[in-house]
């Protein structure tokens, strides 16, 4: 069941007012904000942010719809590896003209830490992502906007957030807001850290543990998706992880060489991720991964890590890896670097990012590169 929202002269949703996002200065949108009285009382007593009500009236009396809201989309993977996508019309609700929204990336920056209730549905573990009835996907709503220029683009993904309070705080506050942050599903205080990261302008991912080849000697932690589990058990673990936070564009693997290479185990999981309008980021550590095959068949935004940046935990070595990542991006047009929230890593990325901008390199959220890969 999708989370309910009240509609009156447009969409009305109760949301957390968590301040301005730092990553973009924008012209105010035609939105009105009215404090909810019961939320103001709660805020006064516990120090948390007050609740606000956001309302946006339909333009010219017409309700806006997404471009694909009037189509059925079927994707088929043929035996030769080719992908066929079939579009067929389906009736829209109501009668008369329809206002079609133009495609966009990202939320209003003022609301970047606030989940869109149309993109959530109830589960046994709490709200988890879903595609809205009008076709809007979480990967679009929560993506970090970028310039649109087709120059050299690099996405840097720093993972493991939520496992260490000091490391998480340092990453959120010291890394450039162009860096994508991946939160470990087994971390602590994830919703609070998510809100701060989104307020700072970061795009975020959910990092889910998958079974490696040397499991259980190498154990990714509680809730790990295992090859020997039934599809239902793995989906339960996935949904439990998904419910830990909101406002993420997709899922990233933590370990998982064995799981990602096992079709019987991986297929139900990747289909569920795709059906929820999320991207999948494969860290690129396993040459046997089936991510590319399934993602293309499902028309799913996806991407692969090109380089592990901090395998050698020394600032100068990380700077050299970042230079190597730039060379890969200049050759391919784009590249993705994967790292963890170590002090040396944060220092190196912060220093390198300032210099890279002067060389014409644009650091982008990983969603912008993943959506390039969708059929």
């Amino acid at each position: 069941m999708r989370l309910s929202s009240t509609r009156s002269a447009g969409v009305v949703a109760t949301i957390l007012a968590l301040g301005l996002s730092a990553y973009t200065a924008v012209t105010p949108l035609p939105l009105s904000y009215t404090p909810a009285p019961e939320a103001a009382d709660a805020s006064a007593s516990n120090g948390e942010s007050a609740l606000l009500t956001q309302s946006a009236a339909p333009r010219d009396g017409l309700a806006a719809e997404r471009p694909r809201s009037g189509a059925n989309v079927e994707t088929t993977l043929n035996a030769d590896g080719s992908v066929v996508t079939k579009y067929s019309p389906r009736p829209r609700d109501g009668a008369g003209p329809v206002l079609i929204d133009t495609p966009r990336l990202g939320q209003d920056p003022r609301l970047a830490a606030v989940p869109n209730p149309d993109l959530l549905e109830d589960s046994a573990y709490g709200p988890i992502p879903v595609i809205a009835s009008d076709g809007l996907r979480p990967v679009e709503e929560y993506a970090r906007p970028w310039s649109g220029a087709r120059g050299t683009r690099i996405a840097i993904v720093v993972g493991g957030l939520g496992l260490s309070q000091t490391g998480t705080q340092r990453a959120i506050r010291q890394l450039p807001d162009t860096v994508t942050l991946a939160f470990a599903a087994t971390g602590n205080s994830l919703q609070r850290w998510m809100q701060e990261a989104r307020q700072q302008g970061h795009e975020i991912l959910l990092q889910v543990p998958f079974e490696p080849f040397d499991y259980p000697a190498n154990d990714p932690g509680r809730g790990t998706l295992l090859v020997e589990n039934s599809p239902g058990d793995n989906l339960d673990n996935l949904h439990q992880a998904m419910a830990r936070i909101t406002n993420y564009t997709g899922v990233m693997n933590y370990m998982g060489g064995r799981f990602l290479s096992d079709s019987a185990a991986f297929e139900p999981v990747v289909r569920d991720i795709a059906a929820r309008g999320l991207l999948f980021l494969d860290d690129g550590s396993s040459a046997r991964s089936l991510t590319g095959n399934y993602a293309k068949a499902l028309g799913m935004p996806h991407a692969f890590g090109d380089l592990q940046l901090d395998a050698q935990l020394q600032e100068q070595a990380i700077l050299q890896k970042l230079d190597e990542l730039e060379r890969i991006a200049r050759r391919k047009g784009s590249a993705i670097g994967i790292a963890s929230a170590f002090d040396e890593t944060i220092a190196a990325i912060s220093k390198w990012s300032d210099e890279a901008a002067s060389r014409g390199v644009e650091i982008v959220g990983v969603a912008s590169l993943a959506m390039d890969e969708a059929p």
Side-chain angles (χ1 to χ4, degrees), residues 23-371:
Y23 66 84
T24 305
V26 297
T27 302
L29 300 177
L31 301 174
S32 63
Y33 299 91
T34 307
E38 68 279 6
D41 294 340
S43 174
S45 62
N46 61 22
E48 295 180 355
S49 300
L51 291 171
L52 294 184
T53 299
Q54 173 192 6
S55 61
R59 285 166 286 177
D60 300 323
L62 298 177
E65 296 199 27
R66 302 288 292 173
R68 291 172 60 171
S69 63
N72 293 310
V73 183
E74 300 177 45
T75 304
T76 304
L77 176 64
N78 295 322
D80 62 1
S82 62
V83 178
V84 176
T85 303
K86 182 175 73 172
Y87 297 86
S88 58
R90 63 180 173 87
R92 298 182 186 271
D93 294 334
V98 175
L99 181 66
I100 301 297
D101 268 354
T102 55
R104 62 176 176 83
L105 281 182
Q107 296 172 289
D108 174 356
R110 296 167 294 180
L111 307 175
V114 179
N116 181 339
D118 291 335
L119 298 176
L120 293 172
E121 70 174 0
D122 287 330
S123 77
Y125 307 104
I128 59 176
V130 70
I131 298 175
S133 58
D134 63 0
L136 178 65
R137 300 178 296 174
V139 68
E140 298 159 340
E141 178 77 344
Y142 303 128
R144 178 183 171 85
W146 62 290
S147 70
R150 293 289 173 172
T152 301
R153 293 183 294 162
I154 287 178
I156 299 175
V157 181
V158 174
L161 272 73
L163 298 177
S164 162
Q165 178 170 323
T166 55
T168 300
Q169 184 178 72
R170 189 176 293 113
I172 292 172
R173 297 180 182 179
Q174 295 183 16
L175 284 170
D177 56 13
T178 50
V179 172
T180 300
L181 303 179
F183 286 82
T186 55
N188 299 308
S189 305
L190 294 190
Q191 195 70 8
R192 174 168 65 91
W193 291 125
M194 176 281 289
Q195 292 167 354
E196 183 170 347
R198 293 289 291 156
Q199 283 180 289
Q200 294 294 328
H202 294 280
E203 182 177 315
I204 66 172
L205 297 172
L206 176 68
Q207 204 168 12
V208 175
F210 294 88
E211 181 182 349
F213 284 110
D214 52 353
Y215 180 86
N218 189 10
D219 189 346
R222 69 179 186 273
T224 298
L225 277 63
L226 302 173
V227 167
E228 66 180 15
N229 283 354
S230 69
D233 287 343
N234 279 326
L235 288 175
D236 281 345
N237 283 340
L238 175 66
H239 294 168
Q240 188 169 0
M242 284 180 168
R244 296 296 313 282
I245 55 172
T246 58
N247 294 49
Y248 50 92
T249 56
V251 171
M252 174 185 177
N253 65 297
Y254 174 61
M255 300 190 189
R258 184 182 180 198
F259 192 92
L260 300 182
S261 65
D262 188 291
S263 59
F266 186 43
E267 181 178 358
V269 168
V270 73
R271 283 188 179 276
D272 187 83
I273 294 170
R276 296 184 179 282
L278 300 167
L279 68 84
F280 187 79
L281 174 62
D282 188 314
D283 67 9
S285 60
S286 175
R288 295 167 60 181
S289 171
L290 299 173
T291 295
N293 296 341
Y294 284 118
K296 290 176 182 177
L298 296 168
M300 177 187 193
H302 66 286
F304 293 88
D306 291 285
L307 203 60
Q308 177 68 39
L309 300 175
D310 53 2
Q312 183 179 348
L313 197 56
Q314 195 271 338
E315 185 174 333
Q316 189 57 42
I318 297 169
L319 287 169
Q320 291 173 357
K321 283 291 186 180
L322 286 162
D323 288 339
E324 183 180 348
L325 185 69
E326 181 177 341
R327 289 192 291 272
I328 294 171
R330 291 193 183 280
R331 185 174 67 250
K332 294 173 47 183
S334 64
I336 298 174
I338 308 294
S340 297
F342 299 117
D343 291 351
E344 297 86 348
T345 304
I346 294 169
I349 292 173
S350 299
K351 180 184 298 183
W352 181 86
S353 298
D354 292 338
E355 299 170 354
S358 67
R359 297 191 296 271
V361 174
E362 182 175 8
I363 302 177
V364 299
V366 73
S368 66
L369 301 184
M371 284 191 276

